[in-house]
Each structure stands twice: as structure tokens, then as C-alpha cells.
Amino acid sequence: MTTRAIYPGTFDPITNGHIDLIGRASSIFDTLLVAVTVNTSKQPLFSLEQRLELASQAAAKFPNVSVIDLQGLLVDCAVQHNTKVIIRGLRAVTDFDYEFQMATMNQKLCKDVDTLFLAASTEHTFISSSMIREIAQLGGSVSEFVPDYVESALQAITNQSLCANPIEV
Ligand code: PNS
């Protein structure tokens, strides 16, 4: 029997913390699907295509990892892909309330699908996509926290918005 898991997220953008989790989950399961959400209540900085592309670049070094887009409900996507395990990372106790609520709701929506939490590695507990976006947009360096292709994509998007909205002096 092969084991499969799905790791969903907005990945706006994917960070070293996400990639560490992908590596660890992919060593536990035969196949790992990284599912990049299409519908999000958040207003992503990167388009779906860009988030998929960056996640695919990150996944390329793990032979048993594929990247898919997540349309509709996560539990439906899990069932469609023959997966019973959702992977989520926990960085700190502040993540717990939201994650616990989501895991419980997903369990209610589909009793066959369970959520498995992996603790973030200590060197990644403080990394979040929102902080990465903010630092990059304010001109700080994020090279320690994301792969170089993500850093370049952030630079490109920041330069683009500076051209569109030049700072008046
Ligand atoms: O990286 P994020 O933004 O914390 O990921 C949130 C995500 C994508 C896991 C969540 O929004 C989700 O599962 N979206 C799919 C739609 C869905 O199933 N919503 C009900 C969740 S209880």
C-alpha cells in the first residue's frame, strides 16, 4: 500500500520553512501533493500561476512531490487525489487555534481525512510569508528565508509596483 499526503497552503510566496516541511513530509509519505489554493480570502501578492511556479521550483528537488492547484474544498481535493492525510506545520502556539479549528472543521466535512501536524524546525519558527512580503516590499533582504528564485520574484514584483507608483519627491 502506498501512502499519500496533501500539504495545502497559499504559498504567497513559498519560504524555506515550507520547503523544510515539504522535505520532511516527503520522507514520511510515498507521495506528497503540495496544493496551492486558488480561492483565498487573502489578497495574494503573487498570482496563482506565479505561486504554482515557485512551489514547483521548490518541489523539483523532491522526486515524490507534485504541485497541484487547490480548487474548492480541501477535503474534496484530498478525496479526489486519494489522500487521507492533510499536512500542516505548527510554528508556535499562536498557530494552534486557527489550525485546530481548521482541522476539526475538515474532520466534520469529511471523516475519512485527518490532519497531521509537523512542528516547524527551530530555525524556521519565525518565518512567515506575510513578513517576507513586507520585508521585501520595504527593501529589506530576505535571502536567508527564501530560495534565490523566490527572492528574485519578490524583487521583480516590488520593482514593478515602484514603476507603476513612483515615489514622488
Ligand atoms: O497557507 P494558508 O493561507 O494558511 O492556507 C490556508 C488553506 C489553503 C489551507 C485553507 O484556506 C484551505 O484549506 N482552503 C481551501 C478551501 C477550504 O477547504 N476551506 C475550508 C477549510 S476548513
Side-chain angles (χ1 to χ4, degrees):
M1 197 188 82
T2 59
T3 56
R4 293 163 70 80
I6 187 165
Y7 177 35
T10 306
F11 302 112
D12 184 39
I14 197 156
T15 68
N16 289 347
H18 295 129
I19 297 167
D20 176 60
L21 219 77
I22 291 171
R24 287 162 53 214
S26 71
S27 70
I28 300 173
F29 293 91
D30 296 320
T31 304
L32 180 72
L33 301 171
V34 174
V36 180
T37 189
V38 174
N39 306 104
T40 169
S41 48
K42 302 170 183 171
Q43 181 75 288
L45 177 66
F46 288 99
S47 68
L48 173 67
E49 289 68 29
Q50 289 170 315
R51 289 181 286 126
L52 282 166
E53 170 57 29
L54 295 173
S56 300
Q57 288 195 54
K61 63 178 171 181
F62 307 105
N64 59 337
V65 177
S66 315
V67 175
I68 57 169
D69 55 328
L70 165 54
Q71 309 251 16
L73 284 178
L74 170 58
V75 287
D76 291 343
C77 180
V79 170
Q80 270 161 26
H81 287 88
N82 209 14
T83 309
K84 289 184 167 186
V85 181
I86 296 168
I87 299 289
R88 291 289 287 174
L90 283 179
R91 289 165 302 185
V93 73
T94 43
D95 283 341
F96 184 78
D97 275 352
Y98 169 65
E99 293 297 335
F100 185 71
Q101 192 181 5
M102 198 158 61
T104 313
M105 181 56 85
N106 281 328
Q107 247 279 310
K108 283 274 173 208
L109 292 172
C110 181
K111 63 176 175 31
D112 295 331
V113 176
D114 263 306
T115 301
L116 184 69
F117 294 110
L118 292 183
S121 307
T122 44
E123 64 268 39
H124 298 127
T125 47
F126 57 89
I127 303 177
S128 71
S129 294
S130 57
M131 274 189 191
I132 297 299
R133 291 194 303 272
E134 184 173 331
I135 294 166
Q137 286 177 306
L138 295 173
S141 169
V142 291
S143 58
E144 249 186 90
F145 318 120
V146 295
D148 50 4
Y149 45 87
V150 173
E151 192 185 11
S152 305
L154 279 161
Q155 271 164 5
I157 224 163
T158 306
N159 291 343
Q160 231 175 46
S161 75
L162 273 179
C163 290
N165 307 296
I167 299 166
E168 304 217 357
V169 282

